[in-house]
Amino acid sequence: TVAAVPMTYPANVIYDFIPATGAAVAATDPGQRLIADVASCNECHGKLGGIPGTESQAFHGGSRQDPKYCVMCHTDQRKFGANAQTSTNNTFDATKSATVFDGVNVADLPVPIHRVHKGEMLVKKGYNFGGVLLNETKFPQDIRNCTKCHDDTAPKVAPQGSNYKNVPSRLACGACHDGIDFAKGTGTTNAGATTGHAGLAQPDDTLCATCHKPEGIVAAHVPVSPPNPANSLLLGGTNANTNAAWIASSSKSLPAGAIQVSYDIKSVSRNATTKNPSIVFRMLQNGVAVPFNTYSATGKTEIWDNFMGSPSVYFVYSVPQDGITAPSDFNVSASGYIRSLWNGIYPSSANAASKGTLTGPDASGYYTATIGAIVPDNAVMLTGGIGYTYGVVNTLPLTQTNLADYPVVAATAPAASLTAGMLNKTGGLIVIATDNQKVATNYTARRAVVEDKRCNACHEELGVFTEESFHAGQRNDGTTCSWCHKPNQTSSGWSADSAYFVHAIHGASKRGAAAPFTWHATTTTSSFANVGYPGVLANCETCHLPGTY
């Protein structure tokens, strides 16, 4: 024997073969089960197994880094002779390690993988599997995005990645839905639910695929987050900057009838005489440009049929500050709510910077939005964009209103707290529309540092999780966090500069107990300090473009 050596660059070599002939198993062979590829794992983890000695989630000395290798040890056999626990009121004794919990072998690969990713949302609490506290982890996107891991599309090589919907089983489904007792058909499907197993008791898997068809499984796992019960349109609600609607966060899996909105920007400019910024744009539904309604106080009061609210046009730039003629970060922003430009509210505003106009469409369907902000001659980096809006009282995000599963109802907050001229309704469905931006003509762009698709390799859609969101999913482009989170920005005594807080959140384990990152802490024990980063923290290019950090 030799001492174990932590490995930074291990190679797991796997050869699946047919014992009778020694021939390799073809990827399409019905006996093959490649249902998750390490490339999917590493979009979040960087290197599955981590790098020992760094601030990464290292396990097994960093040497076992391919699911095809994981499954060789993590089998049903691990239950024999193992410690077992039985829960009381769905709670285990977290001080004691075990392998079998309520009769389920947590070492069998589908179980620990699903449960460690569902983490804090598991029904049962107190899991301690070999020192791994399964309830302590958080998932950086909606847990219903099954295809995040089970992806059979190229270049990933998981030809049976669709097994999650085509070949359901009590083991795999029960790994996430840990509250169900399949032997009795009772229990809890998800936290807060008590429906148990609708198919009643099932002693084996023979009927799983008979009852649970692929389309039904996909429909049951559509990632839609509920409205925030604390939103200001509800009685007792105190949060105006959140979501009053349901949020669909993955374009790969949308509810039936959902419309995917996108923004097309033709140009951004500054008028040399008035010095006002303008943006030429159009908005599309499922890829087709759709013109706005004609406003009428007694007729069409929303920009589109079957929608309420709207996005905003946004402009950012930098002016001299602290003796620096051309700062490299934005330090000024101005915006206009498209619905208020469209229905004529802004021209009557007392605030000159809030005034603006909307003209068009032209022959190609483009509108021009101009706002009253003055961009001085010495400004640099002028950039415009569309999206961003999330104020439920004054600037309701664009929300689809014609889906029965996501009903729209009148606000229940006192009339005095609502805003005249706004629809003041809750509900409906927000399908995340990716923010779009363009640098103004004759201006130079802010330096490129991060890339949105790098954020979404782990987050799927920046800002939306299974049961909650930030900025209602409306500020969803990592390259534009710096538009609001500028160097001058502070919040609750902390810097709110994006360069600071983004690093602090992702590097919470590096900071340690001596300087916990408790910005926006909701309780003394719940804050960003308990965020664990799943990747290799020292790999800056997980987020940053090469050569920019």
Side-chain angles (χ1 to χ4, degrees), residues 316-322 324 326-333 380-381 482-483 486-488:
V316 288
Y317 52 95
S318 184
V319 296
Q321 180 179 332
D322 297 334
I324 301 172
S328 59
D329 283 299
F330 297 119
N331 56 23
V332 184
S333 63
V380 296
M381 302 189 304
S482 62
W483 286 25
K486 304 181 285 288
N488 299 336

Side-chain angles (χ1 to χ4, degrees), residues 174-506:
C176 259
H177 298 288
D178 67 321
I180 294 179
D181 184 338
F182 287 99
K184 299 178 181 178
T186 59
T188 303
T189 308
N190 283 307
T194 56
T195 55
H197 183 239
L200 304 179
Q202 296 296 332
D204 53 43
D205 295 342
T206 55
L207 296 179
C208 292
T210 301
C211 293
H212 297 287
K213 300 298 184 183
E215 60 273 16
I217 293 173
V218 170
H221 293 82
V222 172
V224 178
S225 303
N228 186 338
N231 81 79
S232 295
L233 293 177
L234 298 179
L235 183 64
T238 58
N239 191 344
N241 293 321
T242 185
N243 57 304
W246 284 269
I247 303 177
S249 60
S250 175
S251 59
K252 302 174 188 174
S253 180
L254 292 174
I259 296 173
Q260 179 71 66
V261 173
S262 56
Y263 309 126
D264 174 21
I265 301 176
K266 184 177 182 180
S267 64
V268 176
S269 62
R270 167 186 176 265
N271 185 291
T273 302
T274 65
K275 303 181 181 181
N276 302 135
S278 296
I279 185 168
V280 180
F281 71 97
R282 59 184 181 178
M283 291 169 49
L284 296 77
Q285 296 184 19
N286 297 329
V288 177
V290 177
F292 295 158
N293 290 324
T294 299
Y295 172 74
S296 168
T298 57
K300 303 285 189 179
T301 58
E302 296 296 326
I303 62 172
W304 277 340
D305 293 340
N306 301 319
F307 282 86
M308 60 184 181
S310 81
S312 289
V313 293
Y314 223 92
F315 300 94
V316 288
Y317 52 95
S318 184
V319 296
Q321 180 179 332
D322 297 334
I324 301 172
T325 303
S328 59
D329 283 299
F330 297 119
N331 56 23
V332 184
S333 63
S335 63
Y337 186 47
I338 290 177
R339 183 177 182 271
S340 293
L341 291 170
W342 168 79
N343 65 16
I345 288 179
Y346 275 168
S348 63
S349 171
N351 183 353
S354 296
K355 294 182 179 181
T357 59
L358 181 71
T359 60
D362 64 12
S364 299
Y366 288 95
Y367 292 84
T368 299
T370 303
I371 67 170
I374 301 298
V375 180
D377 294 338
N378 58 2
V380 296
M381 302 189 304
L382 176 62
T383 304
I386 300 180
Y388 314 106
T389 292
Y390 68 106
V392 297
V393 175
N394 295 315
T395 53
L396 191 74
L398 186 66
T399 306
Q400 190 174 346
T401 59
N402 63 336
L403 300 177
D405 289 339
Y406 310 100
V408 175
V409 298
T412 56
S417 66
L418 302 177
T419 301
M422 296 298 151
L423 197 57
N424 293 324
K425 291 186 178 181
T426 67
L429 180 71
I430 295 172
V431 177
I432 297 298
T434 302
D435 299 335
N436 197 3
Q437 60 176 303
K438 185 178 285 290
V439 180
T441 302
N442 298 323
Y443 285 84
T444 301
R446 179 187 185 272
R447 67 196 185 284
V449 180
V450 296
E451 187 177 33
D452 193 52
K453 71 177 183 180
R454 294 178 187 243
C455 302
N456 287 337
C458 202
H459 287 285
E460 180 66 26
E461 194 58 76
L462 194 62
V464 186
F465 306 92
T466 309
E467 292 183 327
E468 58 186 351
S469 68
F470 61 81
H471 298 323
Q474 297 302 297
R475 302 193 171 180
N476 52 55
D477 182 347
T479 69
T480 58
C481 293
S482 62
W483 286 25
C484 290
H485 291 282
K486 304 181 285 288
N488 299 336
Q489 201 85 4
T490 62
S491 180
S492 303
W494 293 90
S495 169
D497 180 7
S498 59
Y500 179 80
F501 81 84
V502 173
H503 286 97
I505 290 174
H506 289 80

